[in-house]
Amino acid sequence: MGAGVIGSGIAQVTAQARYEVMVMDIEEEVLRRALGSIDKSLSKKVSKGSISEDKKQEILSHITTTTDINGAKSADLVIEAIPEVMELKVKAFKELDAICPKHTILASNTSSLPISAMASATKRQPKVVGIHFMNPVPVMKGVEIIAGRHTSNETLQTSKDFVRSLGKEPCEAVDYAGFIVSRILDAMMNEAFYCVMDGNKPEEVDRTIRTCCNFPMGPLELCDLAGADIVYQGLETMRKEFGDRLYPAPLLVSMVRAGDLGRKTGRGFYNYAKEA
Ligand code: CAA
């Protein structure tokens, strides 16, 4: 549900894994664009020789589109990837809950909003979960899986199995604003914005992080990829939840006091002590 960049990426990787996919959006034009970008992405694979033209056509044959929410009536799994606005998400989850069969899992691809808040808009909290894909979806291996307060173990397991069936790796995160990825990346990107405000050239900020830290992309390039609106919404969600957080975290202070300094002392967040 929602055929933007991420929604169409999810449709592509799901169809590649031979699931029957129905892509829903309120606008025909958005659906047309989504199909166009999936076609283009698959054509690239054909021209590189990683799939045949026949395979491309087979993948496309697994995808249908609709502007009617009732398309979800026969779905086993619905993945919502609509704008990051809680009121819209709650409305969508209410509507989906009313029309989907009892067994249907309702998942949100939100990057920062609490899953439990969407789940409580339904009468099926155990069947609501976060399945958060990364941009660009066809390339990125990791997918965050977030259990809400009442998500069942069965739903969690099915979600992880589904992600693995796409050739991706589920990473479990707690249902707290920003989960793991946005919480860390958005904070880093925000600091990069301050670096620019302090007079650093954007291309130097990005080049520094790429070459000095071996990131595939600098934080400003990454913001451009993710969308400044998404980063802004993520930061706003986290600000409401965490307030001013750029003090040394109490965990860090207690580790320093204890001498748990990392590799150099044999213990930090991980244990580096040599086996006796
Ligand atoms: N769709 C499909 N395939 C794509 C693609 C896209 N949009 N962009 C790149 N690719 C493919 C290329 O075709 C290429 O494939 P082959 O290896 O088969 O040739 C491969 O990815 C590598 O691409 P490039 O050589 O063009 O460029 P690169 O090596 O610089 O990689 C990148 C591009 C994969 C995007 C890399 O720069 C990267 O990993 N960047 C970090 C991305 C990241 O951190 N994503 C998470 C963002 S946070 C998020 O998504 C959460 C949120 O909700 C905000």
Side-chain angles (χ1 to χ4, degrees):
M1 180 182 225
V5 175
I6 298 286
S8 54
I10 296 170
Q12 178 183 331
V13 296
T14 309
Q16 281 172 196
R18 297 180 160 203
Y19 290 100
E20 294 305 320
V21 190
M22 181 172 285
V23 190
M24 200 285 252
D25 200 283
I26 49 174
E27 287 184 50
E28 285 282 4
E29 178 51 30
V30 177
L31 289 170
R32 257 194 301 277
R33 248 185 284 142
L35 282 182
S37 78
I38 295 170
D39 192 294
K40 198 168 150 200
S41 177
L42 293 173
S43 296
K44 241 191 201 167
K45 282 176 177 279
V46 174
S47 62
K48 281 181 193 159
S50 55
I51 60 168
S52 65
E53 179 61 32
D54 283 355
K55 180 70 189 169
K56 175 188 148 182
Q57 294 307 330
E58 188 232 300
I59 295 168
L60 288 174
S61 74
H62 292 302
I63 304 175
T64 49
T65 61
T66 182
T67 51
D68 182 1
I69 195 169
N70 287 305
K73 264 186 174 163
S74 58
D76 297 313
L77 166 67
V78 179
I79 304 176
E80 164 278 309
I82 65 175
E84 293 283 85
V85 178
M86 188 49 106
E87 293 73 30
L88 293 179
K89 307 261 193 205
V90 163
K91 183 171 176 285
F93 274 78
K94 267 193 184 137
E95 287 173 10
L96 289 166
D97 187 39
I99 61 167
C100 289
K102 275 200 168 61
H103 74 274
T104 307
I105 291 178
L106 302 182
S108 174
N109 181 70
T110 180
S111 58
S112 61
L113 295 168
I115 300 303
S116 299
M118 291 171 231
S120 60
T122 73
K123 295 189 178 73
R124 64 175 85 200
Q125 293 209 41
K127 295 221 165 274
V128 178
V129 69
I131 304 184
H132 177 212
F133 288 82
M134 303 299 139
N135 194 355
V137 177
V139 183
M140 304 305 283
K141 185 123 184 112
V143 177
E144 278 188 306
I145 301 286
I146 307 103
R149 191 170 171 82
H150 298 295
T151 305
S152 70
N153 285 336
E154 192 191 356
T155 299
L156 202 59
Q157 193 54 50
T158 306
S159 306
K160 289 182 187 171
D161 290 344
F162 167 70
V163 165
R164 286 196 191 96
S165 76
L166 306 180
K168 298 195 179 289
E169 195 173 316
C171 305
E172 217 173 313
V174 168
D175 188 22
Y176 221 72
F179 315 127
I180 294 174
V181 172
S182 297
R183 194 161 159 182
I184 292 172
L185 281 187
D186 290 0
M188 180 186 73
M189 287 188 257
N190 204 35
E191 215 44 41
F193 307 149
Y194 280 115
C195 288
V196 175
M197 288 166 66
D198 291 343
N200 289 287
K201 292 188 185 128
E203 54 278 22
E204 280 305 287
V205 171
D206 281 336
R207 196 168 66 87
T208 304
I209 296 301
R210 264 191 272 108
T211 57
C212 299
C213 309
N214 227 4
F215 278 44
M217 248 180 196
L220 304 168
E221 297 169 301
L222 186 57
C223 178
D224 284 350
L225 176 73
D229 53 335
I230 304 291
V231 176
Y232 173 75
Q233 282 151 356
L235 285 167
E236 275 295 290
T237 302
M238 285 183 276
R239 186 180 59 79
K240 282 182 204 139
E241 198 101 8
F242 304 126
D244 190 352
R245 283 291 292 267
L246 289 182
Y247 292 103
L251 172 60
L252 180 71
V253 174
S254 79
M255 286 172 68
V256 171
R257 283 181 184 149
D260 292 345
L261 305 183
R263 285 174 189 260
K264 62 184 170 188
T265 58
R267 187 167 55 187
F269 284 97
Y270 303 98
N271 201 342
Y272 302 94
K274 289 206 168 62
E275 298 288 322

